[in-house]
Amino acid sequence: MPITARPLLAALLLPAGAVLPAAAQAPEPVAVTVTDKGCEPAALTVPAGRSVFRISNKSRRVLEWEILEGTMIVEERENIIPGFVQSLSATLAPGSYQMTCGLLSNPKGTLTVTAAATQAAGAPDPMALVGPLAAYKLYVMSEVDAFLGRTRAFTEAVKAGQIPQAKALYTEARRHYERIEPVASLFNDLDKSMDVRADDFELKEADPGFIGFHRIEKGLWADNSTAGLDPHADRLLADATELKRRIVDLTVPPAKMVGGAAALIEEVAATKISGEEDRYSRTDLSDFHANVEGSRKIFDLLRPLVSARDPDFVARTEKNFSRVEALLAKYRAEDGSFAPYDRLSERDRNALKGPITVLAEDLSTLRGKLGLD
């Protein structure tokens, strides 16, 4: 599908009535508390433009707080630990949104954004990002094509009862998904269907809502059986097909592309490093590597823009990427496969966590450097 500058440029600009406040006009934080039952308050109203939300986790589980427009994730803050408070900055156009509130079974909150009277200065130059966005869309399309093909082969092996083949294909399919997770996870319904974990439900593995990759993963590794997995395989393939359909028509939001470089690494540092991602198959290192690949792709596309503003940052971040890649390479065999994650000692995991955390912290400043915060 040809990609033109016009739809990409349109995505860089907020709809009429939206406001991009000047840097000096820092908004007052909006407090949101998430309990085991939902959000308090359950309804919020903010003016268009930049808002800062302070999310307090008073539930018993690590959670992510998302702002949704329909099924699309507009902004999110992941890995909020019980008892902690994290902030999320979001520039919102007028309209009605929803807020996720802990467990998937909890009711969603409502967020109303009202139009503001004036247009303030501070918007980034939209033309500067057109080229990187177009190149990234091509990369995402290539990866989603490969993802759909591998997922089709994976689900066919599951339905045929071919456990060894299905296990091999599981890792291959997820590799393509993890590279483009910042875009794939924009669609809240598909993300929760394909990549949900048992911890997102009160009944955990026994909950009927526990479906997708990790439900099948449990069957293949923990149960060593494909019994009862046919409906899950069919649903996963249907979701992968729908994901490709939506991405074809998607203009990638610039803030999501730029912020995705950090988001991919932050998730590894915050939660995946514990081994909670692929807890049955122990293929976590393959996911880590794919996350780093996807993050580096974004960084490489943005390198010319960022170099003009902060060459020292580019040099430092490149060094940090190389360090993380070298550490992961220690656990990779000649055939490209990675060691099972449970073979790594606590010392090995800590050796990974330090450089990954440093890389995440550097990449978290990318949006600000390009005027997208």
Side-chain angles (χ1 to χ4, degrees):
M1 163 174 274
I3 298 175
T4 64
R6 185 175 299 275
L8 288 166
L9 179 57
L12 295 170
L13 306 176
L14 288 173
V19 174
L20 285 167
Q25 298 173 319
E28 286 292 323
V30 179
V32 183
T33 298
V34 182
T35 70
D36 289 321
K37 300 299 183 182
C39 289
E40 297 177 359
L44 292 171
T45 299
V46 299
R50 180 171 174 264
S51 293
V52 175
F53 299 89
R54 287 179 56 82
I55 307 106
S56 175
N57 183 2
K58 293 191 177 179
S59 73
R60 293 172 291 178
R61 60 185 293 275
V62 177
L63 60 83
E64 59 184 5
W65 189 79
E66 301 167 332
I67 299 173
L68 307 176
E69 185 175 18
T71 60
M72 291 284 290
I73 298 176
V74 179
E75 290 288 356
E76 62 184 331
R77 174 63 67 222
E78 297 182 314
N79 309 311
I80 307 174
I81 298 171
F84 280 69
V85 178
Q86 288 197 21
S87 295
L88 170 67
S89 174
T91 301
L92 301 171
S96 297
Y97 302 82
Q98 291 183 307
M99 308 177 291
T100 58
C101 299
L103 291 171
L104 296 181
S105 52
N106 288 346
K108 291 184 174 66
T110 59
L111 174 62
T112 302
V113 179
T114 58
T118 59
Q119 178 80 19
D125 175 11
M127 292 304 299
L129 283 169
V130 168
L133 279 166
Y136 187 60
K137 177 66 181 288
L138 290 173
Y139 171 74
V140 170
M141 286 302 305
S142 175
E143 288 298 319
V144 80
D145 279 342
F147 169 65
L148 179 56
R150 297 295 190 277
T151 301
R152 181 176 288 109
F154 169 62
T155 55
E156 287 173 354
V158 170
K159 294 179 71 173
Q162 299 170 337
I163 293 178
Q165 185 177 358
K167 286 181 175 180
L169 290 167
Y170 170 85
T171 305
E172 291 185 21
R174 287 195 57 78
R175 183 181 302 128
H176 296 287
Y177 183 88
E178 294 289 336
R179 285 173 182 156
I180 60 169
E181 195 170 9
V183 173
S185 64
L186 283 174
F187 306 102
N188 177 263
D189 56 336
L190 296 179
D191 182 48
K192 296 296 186 285
S193 177
M194 289 192 290
D195 202 32
V196 71
R197 301 179 185 95
D199 292 343
D200 292 315
F201 301 96
E202 188 172 358
L203 300 178
K204 298 190 181 295
E205 282 91 349
D207 197 292
F210 178 44
I211 59 177
F213 269 113
H214 296 300
R215 173 63 185 89
I216 299 174
E217 178 199 4
K218 175 184 179 296
L220 293 175
W221 274 273
D223 305 331
N224 196 34
S225 171
T226 59
L229 294 183
D230 282 12
H232 297 298
D234 289 339
R235 174 66 181 274
L236 179 61
L237 180 58
D239 286 341
T241 303
E242 175 64 10
L243 177 65
K244 179 182 176 180
R245 187 193 69 77
R246 293 189 194 181
I247 286 179
V248 166
D249 297 328
L250 176 70
T251 299
V252 179
K256 285 297 180 182
M257 173 197 168
V258 177
L264 283 163
I265 307 301
E266 287 171 351
E267 189 177 5
V268 175
T271 60
K272 289 184 179 179
I273 200 76
S274 69
E276 58 93 37
E277 175 77 359
D278 296 297
R279 64 188 62 175
Y280 314 106
S281 63
R282 314 315 304 164
T283 56
D284 305 78
L285 287 173
S286 178
D287 280 9
F288 293 2
H289 186 256
N291 289 152
V292 173
E293 288 179 311
S295 179
R296 178 179 267 285
K297 179 66 177 181
I298 296 171
F299 176 73
D300 286 345
L301 290 173
L302 296 171
R303 184 196 302 268
L305 291 178
V306 185
S307 291
R309 292 165 170 80
D310 193 341
D312 290 340
F313 167 82
V314 171
R316 182 173 69 251
T317 305
E318 174 62 43
K319 183 177 180 180
N320 289 336
F321 263 118
S322 297
R323 186 180 179 193
V324 170
E325 289 162 346
L327 283 169
L328 288 172
K330 290 171 53 180
Y331 306 105
R332 196 170 193 179
E334 290 185 3
D335 64 358
S337 64
F338 285 88
Y341 197 54
D342 53 0
R343 292 186 186 174
L344 273 66
S345 66
E346 192 66 26
R347 181 177 180 180
D348 291 330
R349 296 187 187 194
N350 287 334
L352 278 170
K353 186 172 183 177
I356 288 172
T357 301
V358 171
L359 178 59
E361 289 172 350
D362 276 347
L363 291 172
S364 69
T365 67
L366 261 181
R367 279 177 47 156
K369 290 181 183 298
L370 294 174
L372 292 169
D373 274 342

